[in-house]
Amino acid sequence: MAETVFVLGGGVTGLAAGMASGLPVLEAEEGPGGLCSSYYMRPGTSRRLSMAPVADDAYRFELGGGHWIFGGDPLVLRLLRRLRPMATYTRRAAVYFPEQDRYVPYPLQGHLRALDPGLAAAALAEMARPGGSAGTAETMKGWLVRSFGPTLCQLFFHPFHERYTAGLYDRIAPQDAYKSATDLTLAIQGAFGDVPPAGYNPTFAYPEGGLDTLTREMARRCDLRTGQRVTRVDLVGRELSFADGSRRRFDALISTLPLNRMAAMAGLTLAAPADPHTSVLVLNIGAARGPRCPEAHWIYCPITHAGFHRVGVYSNVDPAFLPGTARARRRLVSLYVERAYPANVRPGPEEIAAYAEAVLAELRAWGYIGEPEVVDPTWIDVAYTWAWPGSGWRPEALRALEAHDVHQTGRYGRWVFQGIADSVRDGLIAGASVGLARRRTGPRWRRIDRHSAVDGRRDATGASVRRAPRSRALG
């Protein structure tokens, strides 16, 4: 009998849903992982390899830049560690001001002693002002001013967020407040001495052997079907259309696809204007290690000539991001450089090439790199999701899809910021919920008509779905 319940998207959320439910996972690309996909490139080449070569002579990169596993439910982390051993790291992050050649440990507001005394005193006075600084908190920019005052905003928060949000920060609602700790006690302590690590990721984990080893282990426990690119979702006729021209009916979906994309493919007409997103161009670089390459895992960059806002050093987290022969001597470095773009503004090949040259020149001037061996751009269309102040688009879109048994889940599916561990949790919950519902109602998918509250059983069966063994799915 035809399968009629599917998971859309083979990233970590979709793979987790597939593990928990046994449902087919339909992935557009030829391998699992989505944005959390590692790949490999040998020095002097432009060919991406999906697996580490036997000779161990390649750089390891990731499609969307460094994806580190932070926070998360202890049970989810336990499952991930059972699937693949992971090392734990203590974060090393900093803000870099190239004009003064000054590094300030992250978070900036917790390390005011690293600034000039006059700046530190002014910043501390503004943060301590009752009620915060003047300004509205309706927008991200307003919240930053109220939280940190004009001194730190002019120094760091405004120029960084202008780049990080591709110019949206003075129009979008405040978001991700936990990324910028506002603890005045820590700010005072950090103006005079050491402070404990603060922020949302003071420690993080990464799988031994690469993120791709974890996603492949998850895929091995799923009914993953690659090369299945969905182009249209007919909610009324309950039919999926694919890029190859084929069609498949469905009774229900677990979707991890970005909410804006699913709304468009489903042809939803919504009263609220769609919330915005930004895209990111990630430049993966393998090069000779420069004489002044920092030891940090990542660096926030408020001012750059090339326009990027963050540099991450893969090989400072794990030397296995380098070719095998280079790991002990530390003569090479593996980096990623992030630059945000407004939605629907994708640079062409010539613009990307010019930008890459500008990035390389700037990193050489900073002493981060010497001669490059690999320079590889990757494009993430929906990288960061935002909301307009007072927006009702997200709940309206989710309700409209739920009314047709399309259940959005995960970071992009539900249009929220969260890390890998929380996305895996969402997938496990969605997959287990749908799986239990199907077992409870037997081979038929039971749908309740939300308008008449009449049980609308459909002539569909999941009997042919290959289920993952429970013991393996739970690690």
Side-chain angles (χ1 to χ4, degrees):
M1 298 294 290
E3 298 152 329
T4 57
V5 184
F6 304 96
V7 178
L8 301 187
V12 292
T13 307
L15 294 174
M19 288 170 55
S21 66
L23 295 170
V25 179
L26 309 183
E27 166 57 38
E29 304 299 333
E30 294 304 320
L35 297 188
C36 298
S37 297
S38 302
Y39 67 97
Y40 301 81
M41 295 184 71
R42 289 188 171 96
T45 69
S46 58
R47 181 187 172 200
R48 294 181 185 177
L49 306 174
S50 60
M51 303 278 287
V54 176
D56 198 23
D57 58 349
Y59 289 94
R60 181 202 302 156
F61 299 124
E62 289 174 3
L63 283 179
H67 285 105
W68 320 116
I69 301 173
F70 59 84
D73 185 283
L75 287 175
V76 173
L77 295 175
R78 181 175 181 270
L79 168 62
L80 296 180
R81 292 182 187 278
R82 292 283 297 276
L83 291 174
R84 188 69 192 178
M86 292 193 289
T88 301
Y89 304 87
T90 299
R91 180 194 66 213
R92 300 196 304 266
V95 178
Y96 181 49
F97 298 98
E99 294 169 348
Q100 297 85 35
D101 192 23
R102 173 176 293 176
Y103 289 90
V104 178
Y106 171 88
L108 175 78
Q109 64 275 17
H111 297 86
L112 296 179
R113 72 186 185 282
L115 301 176
D116 292 335
L119 276 175
L124 199 57
E126 291 163 2
M127 291 182 67
R129 186 176 302 156
S133 299
T136 176
E138 182 182 56
T139 65
M140 178 181 283
K141 182 177 182 179
W143 179 83
L144 291 169
V145 173
R146 285 181 62 87
S147 300
F148 304 110
T151 297
L152 289 186
C153 281
Q154 291 170 16
L155 177 68
F156 171 71
F157 287 103
H158 285 347
F160 175 78
H161 283 80
E162 171 74 24
R163 284 176 165 76
Y164 170 50
T165 68
L168 289 174
Y169 83 118
D170 61 349
R171 290 174 284 156
I172 55 177
Q175 187 170 311
D176 306 345
Y178 58 87
K179 288 187 177 181
S180 301
T182 56
D183 190 324
L184 180 59
T185 301
L186 285 179
I188 295 172
Q189 184 179 344
F192 301 99
D194 292 334
V195 293
Y200 66 104
N201 56 2
T203 62
F204 61 93
Y206 189 77
E208 295 178 4
L211 194 57
D212 56 317
T213 62
L214 174 62
T215 56
R216 281 200 297 271
E217 280 299 315
M218 296 176 72
R220 202 161 62 85
R221 291 160 168 79
C222 294
D223 182 6
L224 177 67
R225 304 178 186 185
T226 59
Q228 302 288 305
R229 184 175 298 278
V230 176
T231 57
R232 183 172 179 269
V233 180
D234 181 351
L235 297 178
V236 176
R238 303 234 169 187
E239 187 176 68
L240 298 174
S241 297
F242 294 84
D244 63 2
S246 64
R247 296 180 181 181
R248 202 171 297 172
R249 72 174 298 275
F250 69 89
D251 277 325
L253 300 172
I254 297 175
S255 169
T256 69
L257 305 184
L259 184 56
N260 65 332
R261 190 173 300 162
M262 174 56 77
M265 288 195 302
L268 292 183
T269 300
L270 304 172
D275 285 336
H277 71 274
T278 47
S279 304
V280 168
L281 176 63
V282 175
L283 204 62
N284 284 318
I285 300 170
R289 190 179 184 91
R292 300 181 64 252
C293 185
E295 295 297 325
H297 297 139
W298 57 86
I299 303 99
Y300 299 94
C301 308
I303 301 295
T304 62
H305 296 298
F308 55 89
H309 64 270
R310 180 162 51 189
V311 176
V313 188
Y314 292 120
S315 50
N316 282 352
V317 176
D318 187 346
F321 279 95
L322 299 172
T325 57
R327 292 168 192 164
R329 291 179 288 170
R330 288 170 54 86
R331 63 181 182 83
L332 299 178
V333 64
S334 178
L335 312 99
Y336 60 96
V337 179
E338 299 176 58
R339 178 177 175 177
Y341 286 81
N344 304 315
V345 178
R346 182 169 183 170
E350 293 183 1
E351 185 178 349
I352 292 176
Y355 166 70
E357 286 301 317
V359 169
L360 295 174
E362 197 155 6
L363 295 183
R364 279 193 291 259
W366 291 359
Y368 284 20
I369 65 170
E371 189 65 25
E373 294 189 325
V374 175
V375 180
D376 188 56
T378 68
W379 179 257
I380 309 303
D381 185 49
V382 180
Y384 292 104
T385 59
W386 313 104
W388 300 122
S391 172
W393 172 78
R394 174 179 171 271
E396 184 185 2
L398 291 174
R399 284 195 302 268
L401 292 168
E402 287 281 352
H404 295 276
D405 290 313
V406 177
H407 311 288
Q408 293 286 123
T409 191
R411 172 175 177 173
Y412 296 104
R414 298 193 68 81
W415 210 256
V416 295
F417 178 85
Q418 60 189 33
I420 291 173
D422 285 343
S423 293
V424 170
R425 174 206 61 200
D426 287 358
L428 292 171
I429 292 172
S433 298
V434 170
L436 285 171
R438 295 178 76 242
R439 284 195 289 274
R440 183 179 179 86
T441 58
R444 297 177 184 272
W445 176 259
R446 185 172 184 268
R447 180 172 65 89
I448 302 298
D449 188 307
R450 288 166 174 76
H451 298 290
S452 63
V454 174
D455 184 355
R457 294 182 183 271
R458 304 178 66 88
D459 186 15
T461 177
S464 62
V465 175
R466 178 171 62 84
R467 295 185 180 275
R470 292 289 293 172
S471 59
R472 292 179 65 193
L474 294 176

